[in-house]
Amino acid sequence: MNQTVRPPKQAVRIGHSACPHDCPSTCALDVELIDERTIGRVRGARDNDYTAGVVCAKVARYAEREHHADRLMHPLQRVGDKGSREFRRIGWDDALDIVAEQLLRAEARHGAESVWPYYYAGTMGLVQRDGIHRLRHVKKYSGFHSTICVNPAWAGFAAGTGKIAGSDPREMAKSDLVVIWGTNPVSTQVNVMTHATRARKERGAKIAAVDVYMNGTMEQADLPVLVKPGTDGALACAVMHCLFRDGKADWAYLDKYTDAPRDLEAHLKSRDPQWASAITGTPVETIEAFARLIGETKRTYFRLGYGFARSRNGAANMHAALSIAAVTGAWQYEGGGAFHNNNDIFGLDKSLIEGVDALDPSVRMLDQSKIGPILTGDRDALQGGPPVDALFIQNTNPMSVAPDQTLVKRGFARDDLFVCVHEQFMTETAEVADIVLPATTFLEHDDIYRGGGHQYILLGPKLVEPPGECRSNHEVIAALAQRLGAEHKGFAMSSRELIDDMLRRSKRGTLAELEANKWLDCQPPFEKAHYLDGFNWPDGKFRFKPDWPRVPFRSPYNSGPVDDMPALPDHWAVIEAADAEHPFRLTTSPARGFLNSTFNETPTSLASEKRPTVMIHPDDASAQGITDGDAVVLGNTRGEVRLHAKLFDGVRRGVLIAESIWPNSAYPDGKGINTLTSSESVAPFGGAAFHDNKVWVRRV
């Protein structure tokens, strides 16, 4: 069990692909192919100038996952009680017939909206991930409002620029100061560090990092800026206060390219470092040094991550940090400006993949992050519509990753809920399914990817044959559509035909051309990427004053307290603040060995992460009678979680860090860390505040 294939010293050939996982790096890959079913080492493609030959250790050891003894190989039907893990092997035809019968039964009972196709980012491939929309559009099933990841961050960035795009990320290597804010690329986006450290080596550039604990990136920074969770907006405001105060604001740029610079300057007069220090816990001298470094460095590149946006004030935090580059005019310089994600540069027409021609806008859109309230019958979460009686799930593991796990588990335990899970491993969600279908990995099917953290479209062709009876998402959706009477020409097309159609519709060439070139560089010209031809608003000006309800973002409705959002960059005090009963703030940051719940089955990742732990400042631990390695329990109104204490002075007092996501089974009572997180909506377009939790802690 858990055996890793040991490849021969010389692989037969090298195949080219792209990493499919939920990471902005979307690395171009060279894969050792030993035979038609076996891979060896996976490396970053040296001839791709963003990947630059580097991949994370998780993907480098992908053979551990590809050839894992616990891969699902055959369709399974539950024979015991829900969650009993008792299944029997059945054939594909029988399995698909049962799924179709149950979906049709739910539809007959409460209407098509009682079926909810539920997916996410287990693969980021545009065919295998997004084809599920074609089925839901044709069948008029409940829509899927994607909220669990990008919404606060993207809304905050677009609030200023008008779209999700920024300076060429390769320009980090040409910067004089790289500010890495709210992300830990040493663990989660290694290529960011590739380009930032190149700038330091070749140009003498500095690296500054802002985060809530002294992680690997903070340790490598020339200036680490340690803040309390949810207080980044206060830090950003204090930095801008200093820039205006010290004459480092670029007024020529501000007058030409921004909407309300004098209003901003006046607003920030009271947001000085002393004010920010009281909120962030960051010493005044550190804030002053950070502001001075930015003010004295024209070529400052702000690499803004997702982590600091995963709180109730996350969109406001992102917008405040982004605003600094407009105050200094850093956008004018190569190696300067800001970047979060390049979503809006690709212009890919996925209409055939997603079946957009069959979309009915009157069908309700259910919030992904509220799967717990939805499955337990919350009328507001259901938008007054019928209950969800059937789930068809691909590419995600909500029994582990969704917030408010107590409600999620209660919902999945319903006897009247039918669940089909299409998966690669027996995840916590698969364990509570009625039908489990074995899925291919990215090396076993054709797909296409676009970078989040860079500017490339990359092809991911099928390189090896799948084990057992594994089938791709596209194959399963097409087979279900046939049984459900769902008609659309996309169901009859192959993955390769869908890729070619999308490229042609998007005027991005053809599949044959992409296959020959491996990837396509879509980076806009310098002037456009740096918004020197104007920001993406009618007047061309960066917005210090966002119109929050109408920020351009793909969302069917506003969520959360939108009307209360700050008119100008500020610390928006809506976070779940510590109190006498819950004196600690908990952040569930990513672990280096896992990617959400992926890789938590591979031996090397498990060995490196060891066990679920919570980092606590030694002084806080002493006050609680906790010593290093003690079993502790964390709790709040949503539940309790048991794990082990790790004393760590690289956090502010009152802050706890639990790197995740471990399987629920890794915890003594089967309750994972998302037992403590809330499904409360983040303004303005929803999202899960994973890093925004008040808790208590005590020794077991």
Side-chain angles (χ1 to χ4, degrees), residues 28 33 59 85 179 190 317 361 392 435 476 482 522 639 647 650 653 694:
L33 303 176
V59 173
R85 306 180 188 179
V179 177
V190 293
N317 288 342
F392 174 64
I435 296 291
V476 171
Q482 187 176 25
C522 300
L647 271 57
R653 292 286 306 273
K694 63 180 182 182

Side-chain angles (χ1 to χ4, degrees), residues 273-567:
Q274 289 77 16
W275 166 85
S277 180
I279 296 169
T280 63
T282 310
V284 169
E285 53 269 26
T286 302
I287 298 173
E288 291 278 6
F290 187 39
R292 186 163 54 251
L293 186 60
I294 291 170
E296 293 173 352
T297 312
K298 294 294 187 183
R299 294 178 188 271
T300 297
Y301 191 106
F302 291 85
R303 183 60 176 85
L304 306 174
Y306 287 93
F308 76 113
R310 291 191 174 126
S311 63
R312 288 166 177 78
N313 58 4
N317 288 342
M318 171 64 78
H319 176 252
L322 172 67
S323 295
I324 301 173
V327 172
T328 65
W331 289 103
Q332 299 168 94
Y333 309 102
E334 185 178 33
F339 181 84
H340 171 64
N341 186 287
N342 252 339
N343 183 73
D344 289 344
I345 72 170
F346 297 103
L348 293 176
D349 183 344
K350 297 189 291 178
S351 57
L352 189 57
I353 291 174
E354 296 188 357
V356 174
D357 57 320
L359 171 63
D360 182 347
S362 69
V363 173
R364 70 178 176 183
M365 297 286 285
L366 297 179
D367 187 336
Q368 168 193 21
S369 298
K370 294 186 178 297
I371 186 171
I374 286 166
L375 293 184
T376 53
D378 184 284
R379 284 192 59 78
D380 288 339
L382 288 165
Q383 300 176 26
V388 168
D389 288 342
L391 286 169
F392 174 64
I393 299 175
Q394 291 182 319
N395 312 329
T396 191
N397 182 18
M399 280 284 287
S400 180
V401 305
D404 209 344
Q405 281 283 299
T406 301
L407 284 183
V408 174
K409 291 176 180 178
R410 189 183 307 162
F412 272 97
R414 283 171 39 199
D415 288 331
D416 63 338
L417 176 70
F418 173 78
V419 179
C420 173
V421 174
H422 185 202
E423 252 296 356
Q424 298 163 354
F425 289 86
M426 186 60 77
T427 63
E428 292 93 345
T429 308
E431 288 176 351
V432 297
D434 299 282
I435 296 291
V436 179
L437 305 175
T440 49
T441 69
F442 77 103
L443 297 167
E444 300 160 5
H445 56 236
D446 293 303
D447 215 336
I448 187 170
Y449 307 87
R450 62 185 176 196
H454 58 72
Q455 60 288 310
Y456 285 105
I457 295 171
L458 307 98
L459 187 65
K462 179 179 177 180
L463 296 179
V464 292
E465 292 298 322
E469 299 179 61
C470 296
R471 295 188 185 180
S472 73
N473 291 359
H474 175 62
E475 291 175 298
V476 171
I477 289 167
L480 272 179
Q482 187 176 25
R483 288 166 169 80
L484 293 166
E487 297 183 356
H488 191 279
K489 68 178 182 178
F491 294 130
M493 298 171 68
S494 69
S495 297
R496 291 175 63 84
E497 288 170 332
L498 288 167
I499 292 169
D500 189 61
D501 175 86
M502 181 187 69
L503 290 171
R504 292 177 184 272
R505 287 173 183 262
S506 309
K507 295 181 172 53
R508 291 294 190 184
T510 67
L511 172 59
E513 292 168 347
L514 184 58
E515 202 157 28
N517 296 320
K518 297 189 289 188
W519 48 72
L520 175 65
D521 189 339
C522 300
Q523 181 61 41
F526 177 86
E527 290 75 14
K528 188 173 186 64
H530 285 250
Y531 298 102
L532 298 183
D533 55 357
F535 289 90
N536 197 43
W537 300 106
D539 61 2
K541 294 183 180 293
F542 181 91
R543 293 284 187 264
F544 289 130
K545 286 186 170 182
D547 185 2
W548 286 112
R550 282 166 286 278
V551 167
F553 180 75
R554 49 161 180 77
S555 179
Y557 48 77
N558 290 129
S559 302
V562 183
D563 293 340
D564 297 332
M565 296 189 75

